[in-house]
Amino acid sequence: MIKGLHHAGLSVANLDGAIQFYTTAHAFEVIARFEVADRADLRAMMAVADSACEVALLRGPTGFLELFHFKNPAEPDGPPEVYHAGLRHICLQAADGDWLYDAFVGAGAKSHARPSGLGTGNLYCYIRDPEDNVLELEGLPYAASVVSPPWFAHVALVTPNIQRLSAFYSLVTGAPVHSTGHFGPEPKYDVVAGLKDIVFDGAWVKAGPLTLEFWHYHQPQTEPKPMVDASRLGWSHFALEVDDLDTEYQRLSAAGVHFHAAPTSNGAVRFVYGRDPDGTIFELLEVLPGHEHLSLDHVTGRDLPAEIDRLVAQFYRARAQAATS
């Protein structure tokens, strides 16, 4: 069974700088830092030319962030745009969106606009970290009762075929596509994206308590991308925690899902890397006994997503009642 979205992986040029940025406002804390050797089995699993890297594992209230500094990273293919295919951003939420924005801009983030509304009750903005990677920040004013550092809410994948990709991750997670939408052109979307006259489709699949979000841009057009090298600077992969890796590996292999190699272990987790239909890398991992602190079962905010869902429903009920009164 899939427990949930465990972490997003980011390949960085400056590990100390990335740690300093992503621990802003206590969004994440470092819980491990270690060296990985260049080995043939790891090169095969990670699909890289050289697996030698330093890794920092960071934990937040609802999930983890894994930062990689490869000794010999693949050449980047230019700054990422929000409509480019692949794992495009992660989302951090807090009750106070302006405070969250000011904290990250103060830590070195670049931005084209302050948080603004889209009619959902949330405030949204895209920022870029000091290495130009995209993050989404969301403020949830209706969650003012929540006392927590900023929390990890979702990963977003941009795709040239949203039906195919959302169906794939529905298969992987065992959860249905629970929402879809078509958006734009409207100025409010342009403000958030920093683009003009955008038109796009969206879809959402639950991955345990957190969410996988999918976007297909029509203006500007999302194009297919070459196969990603996990060592290339930028968002490289994301991981789903499972309770029985062998069962999930066999289930998905039988369904035709491509994995780089058979599951392996680093002593703390067993894991396997695979590819989705767009070529984006995803990981399945199982936490081994004695390392329970690495599991989603032990994050401090494991009940927070359910509380947010309750507050969202309450917000929409109140808005509907106000509209009919």
Side-chain angles (χ1 to χ4, degrees):
M1 183 181 72
I2 301 289
K3 287 189 174 185
L5 174 58
H6 185 273
H7 71 257
L10 181 64
S11 175
V12 301
N14 181 342
L15 186 57
D16 289 330
I19 289 171
Q20 183 175 2
F21 181 80
Y22 283 97
T23 53
T24 293
H26 304 288
F28 294 96
E29 62 173 341
V30 179
I31 62 168
R33 188 165 175 170
F34 53 91
E35 298 280 346
V36 174
D38 180 33
R39 300 197 327 241
D41 59 331
L42 292 178
R43 292 196 299 270
M45 179 63 79
M46 301 170 77
V48 295
D50 184 346
S51 65
C53 60
E54 186 177 5
V55 179
L57 183 64
L58 283 63
R59 181 174 57 201
T62 59
F64 299 79
L65 179 65
E66 195 170 31
L67 302 175
F68 293 80
H69 177 228
F70 284 91
K71 308 303 183 189
N72 294 292
E75 287 298 316
D77 40 354
E81 299 294 343
V82 297
Y83 60 90
H84 284 175
L87 176 54
R88 191 47 50 228
H89 71 257
I90 69 168
C91 175
L92 299 178
Q93 295 180 334
D96 189 336
D98 286 312
W99 166 81
L100 184 63
Y101 173 87
D102 290 338
F104 276 94
V105 170
K110 293 166 278 187
S111 168
H112 59 268
R114 290 192 66 85
S116 58
L118 297 176
T120 66
N122 290 8
L123 295 177
Y124 303 86
C125 69
Y126 285 156
I127 62 171
R128 291 177 181 267
D129 73 11
E131 296 192 18
D132 225 20
N133 302 298
V134 180
L135 287 85
E136 181 181 13
L137 304 180
E138 290 187 12
L140 284 59
Y142 50 80
S145 61
V146 171
V147 179
S148 173
W151 59 89
F152 182 22
H154 67 252
V155 298
L157 294 99
V158 178
T159 174
N161 189 331
I162 196 167
Q163 290 82 14
R164 180 182 69 177
L165 195 65
S166 57
F168 174 84
Y169 283 108
S170 182
L171 167 71
V172 171
T173 61
V177 177
H178 67 81
S179 184
T180 62
H182 180 77
F183 308 93
E186 287 187 50
K188 63 185 180 182
Y189 299 120
D190 297 352
V191 170
V192 174
L195 299 168
K196 186 172 177 57
D197 299 325
I198 63 171
V199 179
F200 56 103
D201 294 326
W204 291 265
V205 171
K206 279 287 190 182
L210 306 186
T211 301
L212 303 180
E213 179 177 86
F214 308 94
W215 299 116
H216 177 185
Y217 285 80
H218 302 288
Q219 170 56 39
Q221 184 68 43
T222 297
E223 302 290 348
K225 62 171 174 44
M227 199 74 80
V228 173
D229 184 314
S231 72
R232 182 169 291 143
L233 299 177
W235 296 111
S236 61
H237 74 284
F238 69 94
L240 300 167
E241 184 179 350
V242 302
D243 60 1
D244 186 334
L245 181 59
D246 291 327
T247 296
E248 294 302 322
Y249 173 72
Q250 292 163 10
R251 174 179 72 89
L252 294 173
S253 295
V257 175
H258 172 69
F259 291 98
H260 295 167
T264 190
S265 172
N266 64 10
V269 301
R270 295 184 67 236
F271 64 98
V272 65
Y273 280 51
R275 297 270 181 175
D276 70 21
D278 287 354
T280 299
I281 298 172
F282 73 97
E283 177 185 359
L284 303 179
L285 66 85
E286 178 184 355
V287 176
L288 296 175
H291 299 276
E292 287 80 5
H293 65 290
L294 300 178
S295 173
L296 294 172
D297 294 337
H298 292 270
V299 292
T300 59
R302 60 186 178 276
D303 299 324
L304 182 55
E307 174 64 6
I308 297 302
D309 287 345
R310 186 188 69 80
L311 292 170
V312 169
Q314 179 178 290
F315 168 79
Y316 278 103
R317 281 196 304 270
R319 190 164 71 172
Q321 290 168 0
T324 58
S325 61

